[in-house]
């Protein structure tokens, strides 16, 4: 096994992302010691049962004291509170990073609380599932996914390099961009998709003409696809929308404008407009498959008949 | 193998659905003879290469002449033209069915062209993938999916029974409802989800701030889920929207109203409203999994790192 990238890694938060980092770091030997911190004692106990770290604490100050690399794996709305708590306890020269889905807000929350001797390199691995908590993580979560790094101007290049090498060793490809551009890109590739998924699931649950039971039974016509991301962690996603408000509202306005045009095409029977759009969108999926970000298998590779409990004799 | 349900089955159209029916009918021995009809000679030749039927023709009149059961597997907008062509050629007592995603419109298009001696039992198997054409079908497509049967009032009960038994032998569960109710249920469980998926993929492709290449690279944050159904057959889906206009517009209005409320919650920082919705939507997915209509595996069971071409040595 190669030399570890860092001596002591502190993970602040041990949910889906934090526990996936812990698992891949252990498997690849990327750190000599892993300190796991989380606020809830039950979650910490579960992390210890799963053997995710070498040391466990509910105290963030205690967690970061000896750490060379600290990664906050928490809902973005908790960033300021954590930064305020750990700032004075950080080891001089330590690198602080995070995995938050919004970057400008995290920088605004965190940077003021870090001493000058600390290198802050915000990052965002674009990976996840609809499950959450320390049991949900797995070592291959970041494999072949992108991790976007958004260092503020003037950040130490060695620190940026460490964070990039860390994520690459976790299986990801890395890219550097400004926090503002990141927030715009993610608004359209992640935040608005989540919002409209949450929204249509909510709409379907509150109709008078169609029962919730019918919605569930007949969901294989397309609806069920949306329920996956609408089952994502509520706290994390509430924070994303509150902390990337401007970009989300801007992208949402574009979505709604385009949807109004489609609505009008349906109302007035403009089949050509519908056909043209539906033809173009096929090419985008093809591009995503070619970019290595999606499976080519039909129906995401779902097993035919997926969901049915095996019958006796099957 | 049990006695076939029908002597001669005619499939009008041999795309994803028609070819899946052909495959399961062959595997289960549900018909003594399968006649395959499609307009395009290339598609017919491909169906023959795949061995999907026992007889092949581009002429719908010729296809239905000896058929006891005729199933139209065509875009709903082609229903009237096909009914007009085959009506006079149908064998007295034959049962005619279809697989269209809208039912009131199909009935209005087809019923006037069928002689009194014909039993018309419209049906809609809620199953599919984003692929199309005769190569895309597979025998397990209907396994554990629902097929909704929408017989007009006064339909012969033996004919209804035949169509239900046929679909159950194909692996589906069946349910009877009115065409109007079907159209409302499918508007929310299938048609509007497709529309908003097509729409967001279109929006993402036409932004100034974010390139199409960035959209593809960073699509694993949620966007790529939408591209699957936005890659569905353009002709089929154009017809669905044109032929279920009222129900789609009604459900779309509800969706947009709810989305405006969410937009307002984001604008004014109402985290509780977001959190409440995001918590409720998790339960809907749980219900769909419990209803046997979705896999429990995280990320639809996608392979971690899905999409990456294997590297040398892997």
């Amino acid at each position: 096994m190669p030399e570890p990238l860092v001596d002591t890694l502190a993970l602040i938060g041990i949910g889906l992302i934090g526990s996936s980092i812990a698992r891949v770091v252990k498997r690849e030997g990327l750190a000599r010691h892993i300190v796991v911190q989380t606020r809830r004692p039950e979650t910490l106990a579960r992390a210890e049962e799963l053997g995710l770290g070498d040391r466990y604490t509910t105290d963030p100050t205690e967690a970061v004291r000896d750490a060379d690399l600290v990664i906050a794996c928490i809902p973005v709305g908790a960033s300021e509170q954590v930064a305020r708590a750990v700032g004075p306890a950080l080891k001089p020269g330590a690198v602080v990073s995070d995995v938050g889905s919004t970057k400008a807000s995290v920088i605004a929350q965190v940077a003021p609380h870090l001493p000058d001797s600390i290198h802050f390199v915000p990052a965002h691995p674009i990976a996840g599932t609809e499950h959450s908590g320390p049991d949900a993580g797995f070592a291959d979560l970041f494999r072949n996914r992108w991790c976007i790094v958004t260092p503020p101007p003037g950040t130490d290049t060695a620190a940026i390099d460490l964070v990039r090498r860390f994520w690459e060793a976790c299986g990801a490809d890395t890219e550097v961009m400004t926090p503002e551009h990141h927030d715009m890109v993610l608004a359209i590739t992640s935040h608005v998709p989540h919002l409209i998924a949450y929204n249509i699931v909510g709409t379907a649950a509150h109709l008078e003409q169609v029962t919730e039971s019918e919605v569930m039974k007949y969901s294989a016509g397309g609806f069920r696809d949306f329920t996956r991301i609408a089952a994502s962690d509520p706290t994390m996603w509430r924070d994303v929308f509150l902390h990337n408000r401007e970009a989300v509202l801007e992208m949402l306005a574009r979505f709604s404008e385009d949807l109004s045009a489609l609505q009008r095409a349906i109302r007035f029977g403009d089949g050509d407009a519908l056909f043209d759009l539906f033809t173009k969108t096929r090419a985008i999926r093809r591009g995503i498959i070619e970019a290595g970000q999606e499976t080519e298998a039909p129906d995401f590779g779902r097993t035919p008949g997926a969901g049915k409990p095996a019958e006796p004799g099957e």
Side-chain angles (χ1 to χ4, degrees), chain A residues 232-251:
Chain A
S232 300
D233 187 66
T235 304
M236 171 189 158
W237 282 95
R238 175 200 62 197
D239 282 7
V240 167
F241 295 114
L242 298 180
H243 290 271
N244 196 22
R245 187 173 63 178
E246 297 310 321
V248 167
L249 290 176
E250 182 172 342
M251 291 300 171

Side-chain angles (χ1 to χ4, degrees), chain A residues 18-188:
Chain A
S19 74
S20 294
I21 295 176
R23 287 173 170 98
V24 66
V25 165
K26 283 232 157 165
R27 189 184 69 187
E28 303 296 324
L30 305 180
R32 259 185 248 280
H33 303 282
I34 302 176
V35 185
V36 172
Q37 186 276 338
T38 189
R39 280 188 314 173
R40 296 180 60 215
E42 316 85 87
T43 312
L44 193 69
R46 183 61 190 149
E48 189 161 4
E49 272 172 34
L50 292 166
L52 297 174
D54 301 296
R55 207 149 57 73
Y56 302 86
T57 173
T58 55
D59 178 1
T61 310
E62 167 58 24
V64 304
R65 207 174 296 283
D66 305 316
D68 306 288
L69 175 61
V70 175
I71 306 181
C73 308
I74 55 177
V76 289
S79 304
E80 179 164 19
Q81 190 189 331
V82 164
R84 190 189 301 269
V86 305
L90 289 161
K91 192 163 89 170
V95 176
V96 171
S97 190
D98 77 314
V99 298
S101 301
T102 75
K103 299 270 60 104
S105 160
V106 166
I107 292 171
Q109 291 180 70
V110 171
H113 299 286
L114 302 184
D116 288 347
S117 67
I118 303 301
H119 307 295
F120 180 38
V121 185
H124 176 206
I126 301 174
T129 77
E130 68 277 26
H131 294 193
S132 41
D135 284 278
F138 52 95
D140 276 329
L141 178 61
F142 310 111
R143 182 167 173 264
N144 192 32
R145 297 282 83 90
W146 286 92
C147 182
I148 299 176
V149 181
T150 63
T155 305
D156 180 62
T157 55
I160 298 173
D161 192 50
L162 173 71
V163 170
R164 293 187 74 160
R165 280 186 296 130
F166 177 85
W167 280 106
E168 287 161 11
C170 290
D173 293 313
T174 64
E175 188 77 77
V176 171
M177 59 177 76
T178 66
E180 292 69 27
H181 190 61
H182 166 279
D183 289 357
M184 199 62 91
V185 170
L186 270 288
I188 189 67

